[in-house]
Amino acid sequence: MDNEFSIAIDKKCVAEMPTVNFAGAITVIERAEEVAEAVSYLRGHDVVGFDTETKPNFRKGMTNRVSLIQVSTADRSFLFRINKMGFTPELREFMECDGLIKVGLSLKDDFHMLHQVGEFEPRGFVELQEMVKGYHITDASLQKIYAILFGERISKGQRLTNWEASTLTGPQMVYASTDAWACLHIYRYLTSGAFDPASSPYIVREEEKAEANETADASTETEKVEEKG
C-alpha cells in the first residue's frame, strides 16, 4: 500500500453531514445495587464501547469529578451515574477485566479523571486514536473519525451540559450513549476489513500537504510584511 498519504477531514465538511444518534435501548444506573446485573450483561459480550462525561466547570483551573460512565453494546447502552452512587466494586472489576475488549478514545484522560474517584488498573482497553493510525487516519477526534468512515456527524451539542443534574434529559442520554456506541461501531468496522484507506475520499497526499503548508507560511510572511509597512 502507498504510504505517502494520510486521511483527514475538514471541519466544514463534517458540519454538512447528517447527524447520527444511538437508536438502541438506554438504561440509566443510579443505585449501587443495580450495577452488578448491568456489568454481568456487558461481560456477556466480546467487545463494548466506552466513554465518560464530566460536568463542565467554567472557572479557570477548576475541574469536576467524572459524573458518568457510559458503556454500549451494538443495541443497548448503560449509563452509570457515579456522581450519585460512587465507583462501585463491580465497576472496578469491569475496568480491570481483560476478558472483554473495551473500546474508547482519549482513554488516558478518562483514566486520569476516574482515578480521582476510585483506584483500578485498566485492562482490556483499545485506544481508537492509536488504532486509526494504522489506517492512515490522522484526525484524532471521535467526530472526525466517525465522519471519515461513515459520512455522518456526531452532534456535540450536549457536551457542556450539566451531567450532575438530578435527572438526565433525553438528549443527554442519547448523546452519552452515541459516543460510547460510536467507539464500538468504528472498531467493528475497521476490524471487519471493510475500510479501504486507499479508496477514502478524504486522502491528503504528502506533497499536497507540503504545498498547503508552504502556502500558509507564505501568507503569514506576507501579513507580517504588510503589518510592518
Side-chain angles (χ1 to χ4, degrees), residues 98-142:
D98 52 14
L100 169 64
I101 297 173
K102 300 170 281 283
V103 186
L105 187 135
S106 297
L107 289 169
K108 184 177 180 181
D109 294 335
D110 286 333
F111 296 157
H112 174 73
M113 295 295 291
L114 282 170
H115 276 132
Q116 296 177 14
V117 297
E119 287 302 315
F120 64 93
E121 185 64 36
R123 298 187 182 94
F125 283 88
V126 172
E127 171 58 70
L128 278 182
Q129 287 182 337
E130 290 300 317
M131 183 179 183
V132 299
K133 291 178 182 178
Y135 298 84
H136 296 264
I137 298 173
T138 56
D139 282 319
S141 75
L142 182 64

Side-chain angles (χ1 to χ4, degrees), residues 199-217:
S199 299
S200 173
Y202 307 108
I203 286 176
V204 180
R205 299 287 172 183
E206 293 304 315
E207 59 267 23
E208 293 172 0
K209 186 187 298 185
E211 290 174 4
N213 289 337
E214 289 176 5
T215 301
D217 291 342

Side-chain angles (χ1 to χ4, degrees), residues 13-51:
C13 184
V14 176
E16 295 172 353
M17 292 178 173
T19 57
V20 61
N21 288 313
F22 177 70
I26 301 174
T27 302
V28 179
I29 307 292
E30 297 187 341
R31 298 185 299 167
E33 56 266 32
E34 299 172 328
V35 177
E37 183 178 353
V39 168
S40 176
Y41 176 85
L42 291 167
R43 292 193 66 174
H45 294 73
D46 59 341
V47 57
V48 295
F50 174 91
D51 197 16

